[in-house]
Amino acid sequence: MQSPYSTPGALGWHELTSNSCEDAFGFYGKVFGWTFKTMQMSHGPYHIIENEGVGIGGIAPNPCPQQESHWTGYITVDDVDEVAIKAKSLGGELLYGPEDIPEVGRLCWIKDPQGAIIAAITYEKTDD
């Protein structure tokens, strides 16, 4: 497999939606040795999870504090809009997006018919 960020069907990013980002930094930093870099986004702070200097995921404040903190995996796809349409046609629910995130790509969040949540993303092409 090539990079998970360019291979359709690969799980490439993991994101924690947290009710306490500071507590998450302390816990995961100690458990896994992760470090965190904060970026200011249009919707507020976003914290990149780094493992040995490589970004592997993110932590975002929970926009719905009544909901428990939770992890979401991001699956790389060729066409987010097509995936959103297909998921809805198969009984899924579109929770967010599709939306463009500058310098990242286009993404959406989907709830499957059993209630599990996953995200689909098409990353912007880079000249690596």
Side-chain angles (χ1 to χ4, degrees), residues 80-82 84-85 94 96-100 106-109:
V80 167
D81 295 83
E82 182 180 297
I85 291 166
L94 192 59
Y96 177 82
E99 182 172 313
D100 292 321
R106 187 163 178 80
L107 63 88
C108 70
W109 280 29

Side-chain angles (χ1 to χ4, degrees), residues 1 11 13 16 18 26 40 47 50-51 60 63 73-74 78 93 100 103 115 117 120 126:
M1 177 173 78
L11 180 61
W13 191 257
L16 174 62
S18 178
Q40 288 302 319
H47 313 283
E50 292 188 340
N51 186 51
Y74 282 74
D78 286 326
E93 180 183 347
D100 292 321
E103 299 181 31
I117 298 171
T126 60

Side-chain angles (χ1 to χ4, degrees), residues 20-28:
S20 175
C21 294
E22 293 296 325
D23 288 346
F25 301 157
F27 179 79
Y28 291 108

Side-chain angles (χ1 to χ4, degrees), residues 55-109:
I56 61 167
I59 299 177
N62 195 345
C64 183
Q66 310 87 303
Q67 185 180 35
E68 291 184 14
S69 297
H70 58 278
W71 285 95
T72 303
Y74 282 74
I75 306 300
T76 302
V77 300
D78 286 326
D79 186 331
V80 167
D81 295 83
E82 182 180 297
V83 167
I85 291 166
K86 187 180 288 185
K88 286 176 68 174
S89 76
L90 295 170
E93 180 183 347
L94 192 59
L95 299 177
Y96 177 82
E99 182 172 313
D100 292 321
I101 304 298
E103 299 181 31
V104 175
R106 187 163 178 80
L107 63 88
C108 70
W109 280 29

Side-chain angles (χ1 to χ4, degrees), residues 2 15 28 40 42 46 58 91 112 124:
Q2 300 288 326
E15 185 173 82
Y28 291 108
Q40 288 302 319
S42 61
Y46 187 80
D112 74 17
E124 283 189 1

